[in-house]
Amino acid sequence: MTGSINVIGYALATLGPAIGVAMIFSSAINGIARQPEARGALMGAVYIGFAVVEALAILGFVLAFVIR
Amino acid sequence: MTGSINVIGYALATLGPAIGVAMIFSSAINGIARQPEARGALMGAVYIGFAVVEALAILGFVLAFVIR
Amino acid sequence: MTGSINVIGYALATLGPAIGVAMIFSSAINGIARQPEARGALMGAVYIGFAVVEALAILGFVLAFVIR
């Protein structure tokens, strides 16, 4: 059996952030559908939330290279 | 098979916090969509909640380096 | 394959508390969005709930160092 267990580690690290970012955008889409004029106020919170959740997956990507 | 099981540890440590932070921002987005003027009062609670939940994932990131 | 299974232990210990703390803050944000003037009364209960749920994850962090 070859390969590195770090790849499985990164794979598991995408599970939560992928669902999380989808939840954030999903809420934003529902909110914009209900009140299109609130779009500007919404998207500020969306971008902050997206950045901090996506960062968790990117840290897993970095970790797979750094740790041996 | 190479790699470190610590990467899997970090990966599992992102699952809960990623979904948790997404739940917090999702609630905030829904709240802003319903009452855009309540945005300032909401975001205070959002940042506190985000910080304490995200911290759990960051502790896992630190642990992956510290523990051998 | 290197690394310590204690990191996986801590990681699994964050899953429940992260989602739990997120549920508490999510409810608080929904409550503030509905009645912004109730914010002070809400946050008292939020901090107590947060402390006892977050403590479970911190205990897992301590355990990862103490037990070999």
Side-chain angles (χ1 to χ4, degrees):
Chain A
M1 191 160 69
T2 62
S4 168
I5 210 164
N6 286 7
V7 179
I8 293 184
Y10 168 69
L12 291 173
T14 64
L15 181 53
I19 295 178
V21 170
M23 285 168 65
I24 291 173
F25 277 95
S26 182
S27 293
I29 292 163
N30 284 335
I32 294 171
R34 208 178 302 145
Q35 294 210 34
E37 72 276 13
R39 189 171 188 248
L42 280 181
M43 292 310 277
V46 170
Y47 289 133
I48 296 169
F50 154 68
V52 296
V53 176
E54 186 93 356
L56 293 175
I58 304 299
L59 284 179
F61 188 76
V62 171
L63 213 58
F65 285 98
V66 171
I67 289 193
R68 291 169 187 283
Chain B
M1 193 160 69
T2 62
S4 169
I5 212 163
N6 284 8
V7 179
I8 292 186
Y10 166 71
L12 292 173
T14 65
L15 181 53
I19 294 179
V21 171
M23 286 169 65
I24 291 173
F25 275 94
S26 183
S27 293
I29 292 163
N30 285 336
I32 295 172
R34 208 178 301 146
Q35 294 209 35
E37 72 277 11
R39 192 174 187 243
L42 280 181
M43 293 310 276
V46 169
Y47 288 133
I48 296 169
F50 151 68
V52 296
V53 175
E54 186 97 354
L56 294 175
I58 303 300
L59 284 178
F61 188 75
V62 172
L63 216 57
F65 285 98
V66 171
I67 290 192
R68 283 163 196 288
Chain C
M1 194 163 67
T2 62
S4 168
I5 211 165
N6 283 11
V7 180
I8 292 185
Y10 166 71
L12 293 174
T14 64
L15 181 54
I19 294 178
V21 171
M23 286 169 65
I24 291 174
F25 276 92
S26 183
S27 294
I29 292 163
N30 285 336
I32 294 172
R34 209 175 301 146
Q35 294 209 33
E37 72 276 13
R39 192 174 186 241
L42 278 180
M43 293 309 277
V46 169
Y47 289 133
I48 296 169
F50 150 68
V52 295
V53 176
E54 185 96 354
L56 295 174
I58 304 299
L59 285 178
F61 187 74
V62 172
L63 217 56
F65 283 98
V66 172
I67 291 192
R68 282 162 197 288

